[in-house]
Every structure is written in C-alpha cells, then in structure tokens.
Amino acid sequence: MKMIPEPLFPKDFLFGGSSSAFQAEGAYDEHGRGRSVIDMLLRNEKLADYKVAVDHYHRFEEDIKLMHEAGLRAYRFSMSWSRILPEGNGEINMAGIEFYDKVINLLLKYKIEPVVTIYHFDYPQGLVDQYQGWLSRQSIEDYVHYASVLFKHFGDRVKYWLTINEQDHVIHLPERLGIKREMTDKEIDKIATQASYHMCVATAKAIKLCHEMVENGKIGPAMNPMIGIPASMKPEDVQAAIDYNEIASYYLLDMHCKGIFSPIYKKYLLDRGIFPQIEEADLEEMRTHPPDFIGVNYYMAKTIEHSSETEIKHRGKGVIKQEEAGIYKIVSNPHIPVSEWGWEICAPGLKMVIMEIFNRYNLPVLITENGLGALDELTEDKQIDDEYRIRYLSDHLKQLKECIDMGYPVIGYCLWSFMDLISGHDGMGKRYGLVYINRSNSDLMDLARIKKKSYHWYANVIATNGAEL
Ligand code: BGP
C-alpha cells in the first residue's frame, strides 16, 4: 500500500521567534533613549524591572547567532519608540537608528526575515506629558510620524511590519497609556474606547504610508484574540459566546478591515455612554487602507456563559472583563486544562481563530506570539528539561499545519519567545523562552544564554520543515 506522506509546511514558511523591546533590551538610559510609560511604572520590588531586562541591547549579536543556529527564518521584535524619538516626537536620536540598523543587518546576513512591531506597549512618556498621549487626537499624527521615520530608515530591508501590539489589551490598562490617576470602571472604559479609536485611525494612516514608502511592504496589526467557547449547549450560552467574540475581539478587526463599528459593538458603546468622538472621514480612511495580513498573538481560550445579571458592581483589576451585564460571563471549563497562571490551554482555539479571520476578512494570518509561560528550573548540570513547553508548542503547530493543509493562508509562526524575557506581570518568575537567561528577579548573575530542550526540538522542527512535530 502506498504511504501518503505527512504534509509539510511550505518551504518559505516563516518559522520564527518573538520579543519586544522593553522586555528584552535593557539599556534603558543609554545612548540618548527617552523614558517610556513602562519606565514610569511602579514595580513590585520583588520583580525584575526593565532597566537591564535580558541585556539584548548589548548581547544582540550572541542572541541572533543563537537564532541562526536554530535555523530561524524570522525574528519578530519591536523598536523602542523613545530610543528613536526620545520625546516621542521632535529630534531623532541617531544612536537608536544605528542600533536597529545593526540588528537588521545581522538578521539579514543570517537570512532571518526581520518582522518589526512599530509599537509594543512602551509608549513615550514625553507624549503623555505633552498632551495625555493616546487620549488626544494629536497622538495620531505623532504615531504616523514615528512610523514614517521607521519606514524611511529601515523600509529598504524590513518588509513585514506590525502596527500596534495588542491594542485591545493596552487600552484597558490605564497605566500602559500613561494615565495614573484613580478612575471608576466607566471612566476607564471611556478612555479605552477613545484611545482605541485614535489607534485605529493611526493604524489606517500607517498602512497607507507603508504602502507608499516601503516597496513590497506588508503591514498589519498584532491582535490578541482569546477565542470564546460556549459553556454549554444552551442556545443562550452559544449566543453569549458569539457576543463575547464580537465585543472582545472582532470589533477591532471590523474597524481595521472594514472601517465600521459593528452593530453589536456600537450598541454596547452607546448603552454604556462610552461612544468615542469620531470623524466620518476616519472611517473612510480605514475602509480604504485595510491591513495586508493579521498578526495573531494566541495563548488561550475563554469559556463563556450567558449572564443574566443586570448590573456589575465592580469588575476588579485587570484587562479581561470577567463579566458584561446581561451579555456574558467567563467561567471555568472542565474539558480544558489551565496553566499555572490560570490560562486555558486550548490548541484547537488557534485553528478556530485562523479560520474565522479568513472567513470574515479574507486575509492571511501571521502568528506573532504563542507560547507557554513556566517557572523553568535549571539543573546543576545546566539543563532545562521543558518537555511541557514542547508539548504546548507542538499541539499548536499541529493545528496550524491542519489549517495550511486545508488551504488557509498562514505566513508564519513566531513563537513567544525565542529567549526568556521579563514577563509583563511576573518578572523572571514566568519564562517563555527556548533559551534560558541566567538571571533571577533580584540578581543579574551572569545573564548567560543556555539552550533549553525546547531549543533543540524547535531547531529540528524547522530543519524537517515541520515533519517532526
Ligand atoms: C502578550 C504580550 C507580550 C508578552 C506575552 C506574555 O500579551 O504581547 O509582550 O508579555 O503576552 O505575557 P506575560 O509575560 O504577562 O505572561
């Protein structure tokens, strides 16, 4: 009997890894870098801060060499806005440009495709001081100017661009917008929708500019869909899951790709008195300049039940709204395992997201983040046996492969993260990397790079083009 060979990934499939500037670089006050909102965060003293991070700024050559040895075909990283424009606008800091020039040139030397995120959480504090940042319409112009600086200096070599990382996440965390005063939930929501709207307009303008300035440039947002799965067969739970997916995820892609407030999202905003100030011409601009692809950061699913509550007293701290009065609530799911941090690990959710994006927007997907945070332990003989991470990555890659085999367009897979980074909320206590960084929260130690078991596994996945997952 003839064996049917296992289908492989396309030869030019971008197997890669991800990082972000503030979580990797360090060198927070070197060579003219200005302050970002992240530098101004009050940190829990027990957690690592971002001053040194994993010292990628000084060790990028070693890090990129490790990527090359693993056979990476892409590296997704962000540029630090305030390293390039210390005040967020105004004078360019040429030392910042030179740093990223070196990074890009080295990647290209090793045939690793640079995938650049224009803005990944580290908004310049200068713009907050000048006019409250994203709350003001002026933010659109300054973002577009910053993007134009990047396209001009790097557009000859960088062809894949991501506009804004996880817009829906950042708008719900006032301190990441640089806003520190005490606020009610309603005020937070109002600020979030206005900031989000400005980001949508800025995205459309950056897409337009990228197409004008970067030959063969491709650009899209990096989204964070947490797919909602119905908690039961009850029709109201199925409807609640649909509503959750619209309100928590697809509303944003409807803005970016179609230039519309979807009916359910519009009603949601109007009911709560938080509809933003808009200009009709903006929506037309979004319609005329949709993304070329959608970046997807996928970590988890959410299980959704109908909520019959008429009022939510207080939603508590955090970005994910656990409940929306009269619409949905997030519940636990006995069929889905959770990580140590309570994240519902659901590899099939990745396939659901890819299919849904293609069906709704007819666009390809680039996986820009996917990975497992864990408290890895270094043994005495300097090994990290992260079999759990290999399982997680393998399960997700299998779903991806099924999508590709069916014919869904997927450009690449940049896992989070190539090397350990400072986790957004858990410092060095939650590691995602294939490469271990020898530092703890309180001690920088020698910052040595140590390959984990998952590093060797991923190198083999790439070398066999996905035949051995
Ligand atoms: C995404 C962010 C990343 C990274 C990742 C893991 O939301 O884009 O920057 O932090 O999540 O999150 P954490 O480190 O909080 O576990």
Side-chain angles (χ1 to χ4, degrees), residues 116-233:
V116 170
T117 313
I118 296 173
Y119 153 55
H120 188 131
F121 298 166
D122 50 356
Y123 194 68
Q125 181 62 29
L127 300 182
V128 178
D129 296 341
Q130 288 172 48
Y131 53 72
Q132 293 206 79
W134 285 114
L135 301 198
S136 155
R137 208 178 150 91
Q138 176 61 35
S139 59
I140 300 172
E141 195 178 305
D142 284 331
Y143 172 85
V144 176
H145 171 66
Y146 164 52
S148 77
V149 172
L150 303 193
F151 298 151
K152 175 167 178 261
H153 286 278
F154 310 117
D156 56 336
R157 289 154 292 157
V158 176
K159 300 300 168 190
Y160 286 97
W161 295 89
L162 293 154
T163 51
I164 296 179
N165 182 68
E166 297 194 355
Q167 176 173 329
D168 183 68
H169 175 87
V170 79
I171 56 168
H172 290 112
L173 284 175
E175 66 272 24
R176 289 216 171 151
L177 295 170
I179 315 295
K180 291 230 185 93
R181 61 192 149 83
E182 279 291 307
M183 279 181 284
T184 60
D185 285 349
K186 176 147 183 201
E187 281 172 313
I188 294 177
D189 287 345
K190 205 160 171 46
I191 282 175
T193 49
Q194 190 63 57
S196 182
Y197 180 74
H198 290 149
M199 290 183 194
C200 286
V201 184
T203 297
K205 288 181 185 293
I207 292 172
K208 175 171 186 273
L209 204 64
C210 178
H211 292 153
E212 286 165 6
M213 295 180 69
V214 181
E215 205 184 333
N216 299 323
K218 300 227 177 297
I219 182 163
M223 311 291 297
N224 53 316
M226 290 176 235
I227 187 87
I229 294 171
S232 80
M233 292 184 285

Side-chain angles (χ1 to χ4, degrees), residues 12-72:
D12 56 353
F13 186 76
L14 294 179
F15 279 113
S18 271
S19 75
S20 88
F22 76 95
Q23 291 170 283
E25 286 178 9
Y28 83 112
D29 60 352
E30 284 183 47
H31 304 147
R33 181 181 175 277
R35 291 286 176 275
S36 82
V37 296
I38 302 286
D39 300 315
M40 313 307 280
L41 293 178
L42 288 177
R43 295 287 288 179
N44 169 345
E45 276 166 26
K46 294 200 184 104
L47 289 184
D49 63 25
Y50 302 105
K51 291 182 174 158
V52 176
V54 298
D55 204 27
H56 180 65
Y57 186 79
H58 297 113
R59 298 170 194 243
F60 70 92
E61 288 173 334
E62 183 183 354
D63 294 338
I64 293 175
K65 191 149 180 283
L66 283 166
M67 292 175 201
H68 167 64
E69 279 171 32
L72 256 62

Side-chain angles (χ1 to χ4, degrees), residues 175-372:
E175 66 272 24
R176 289 216 171 151
L177 295 170
I179 315 295
K180 291 230 185 93
R181 61 192 149 83
E182 279 291 307
M183 279 181 284
T184 60
D185 285 349
K186 176 147 183 201
E187 281 172 313
I188 294 177
D189 287 345
K190 205 160 171 46
I191 282 175
T193 49
Q194 190 63 57
S196 182
Y197 180 74
H198 290 149
M199 290 183 194
C200 286
V201 184
T203 297
K205 288 181 185 293
I207 292 172
K208 175 171 186 273
L209 204 64
C210 178
H211 292 153
E212 286 165 6
M213 295 180 69
V214 181
E215 205 184 333
N216 299 323
K218 300 227 177 297
I219 182 163
M223 311 291 297
N224 53 316
M226 290 176 235
I227 187 87
I229 294 171
S232 80
M233 292 184 285
K234 286 189 214 151
E236 60 263 39
D237 288 342
V238 176
Q239 182 65 52
I242 293 174
D243 294 352
Y244 161 86
N245 285 321
E246 294 289 337
I247 293 169
S249 294
Y250 296 119
Y251 81 93
L252 200 48
L253 283 177
D254 285 348
M255 301 280 286
H256 290 319
C257 304
K258 299 180 180 168
I260 57 162
F261 286 88
S262 64
I264 184 172
Y265 181 55
K266 189 167 182 182
K267 179 172 187 316
Y268 169 87
L269 297 177
L270 290 172
D271 284 353
R272 285 157 183 75
I274 54 171
F275 195 82
Q277 285 190 337
I278 67 166
E279 290 179 16
E280 270 308 314
D282 297 335
L283 298 174
E284 183 53 32
E285 194 149 31
M286 291 176 210
R287 278 193 279 277
T288 339
H289 302 289
D292 300 305
F293 66 91
I294 305 300
V296 168
N297 296 354
Y298 179 76
Y299 290 92
M300 65 185 119
K302 292 283 168 196
T303 303
I304 307 297
E305 200 173 81
H306 173 67
S307 157
S308 47
E309 297 291 321
T310 49
E311 196 189 336
I312 306 302
K313 299 267 175 321
H314 184 74
R315 72 161 180 256
K317 214 171 153 15
V319 278
I320 307 164
K321 289 196 197 168
Q322 297 300 315
E323 184 156 2
E324 280 293 349
I327 309 180
Y328 68 79
K329 61 179 167 215
I330 295 176
V331 295
S332 58
N333 186 331
H335 307 290
I336 301 184
V338 290
S339 77
E340 274 178 69
W341 282 267
W343 294 13
E344 285 189 358
I345 300 175
C346 176
L350 182 59
K351 187 168 163 188
M352 297 177 204
V353 168
I354 291 170
M355 291 176 66
E356 186 69 7
I357 288 179
F358 183 75
N359 292 342
R360 295 175 70 122
Y361 310 108
N362 197 18
L363 287 174
V365 159
L366 170 63
I367 305 304
T368 36
E369 292 183 27
N370 174 239
L372 181 69

